[in-house]
Amino acid sequence: GIKINKKYKNIQGKRLYVADKIKKNNTLIVAPEGHIALLKDFFVIIKTNWILGRPKFPLNNVKVRVRHLGELIPAIIQYKNKKYICKLVRRIKGLADGQSAVIYKGKELLGGGEIRFE
């Protein structure tokens, strides 16, 4: 039910995935499986919950788990302009608004929050 811009006819019949949403003009950016647009390494964490209180930033040498039983991915988390910004060491697929990001330092759970792309 999604209309595709006619200049992209070569992707008709292929399974497409949402790579980005532009709320301002109600546009979805889609890409076929394996496309680089589906890989992300940067997001904002909202609705944060810190287990032992808010840590000192930047958080270096931490790992982030995005999905239940997902791998722990090394990351750096900074606090800038009243936002928690997570930069993963490499791009991963399947990140989406609303997913949880859980932050660990070694075996210690520091906290987590909800993923947003702003």
Side-chain angles (χ1 to χ4, degrees), residues 2-100:
I2 297 173
K3 295 179 183 176
I4 306 286
N5 187 316
K6 292 179 183 179
K7 73 179 184 177
Y8 296 106
K9 288 182 181 179
N10 63 331
I11 61 172
Q12 287 184 346
K14 293 184 181 179
R15 185 170 285 190
L16 299 175
Y17 299 88
V18 175
D20 201 0
K21 293 184 255 182
I22 304 170
K23 293 176 186 176
K24 186 169 45 176
N25 61 5
N26 200 28
T27 300
L28 288 178
I29 307 296
V30 297
E33 187 172 3
H35 193 279
I36 193 166
L38 299 173
L39 301 175
K40 297 189 179 359
D41 64 355
F42 177 87
F43 55 86
V44 173
I45 304 172
I46 65 167
K47 299 179 184 176
T48 54
N49 182 20
W50 301 109
I51 303 302
L52 297 174
R54 187 176 179 271
K56 184 178 176 183
F57 289 89
L59 291 176
N60 297 307
N61 301 318
V62 295
K63 293 186 178 181
V64 175
R65 186 183 313 267
V66 175
R67 285 177 282 289
H68 175 69
L69 299 179
E71 70 176 295
L72 289 168
I73 301 162
I76 296 172
I77 301 174
Q78 298 181 346
Y79 186 72
K80 289 185 177 179
N81 300 321
K82 298 182 181 181
K83 293 182 181 182
Y84 297 102
I85 301 166
C86 180
K87 172 76 169 107
L88 303 173
V89 297
R90 63 180 169 79
R91 294 174 181 247
I92 63 171
K93 67 179 182 176
L95 288 180
D97 278 343
Q99 288 179 313
S100 294

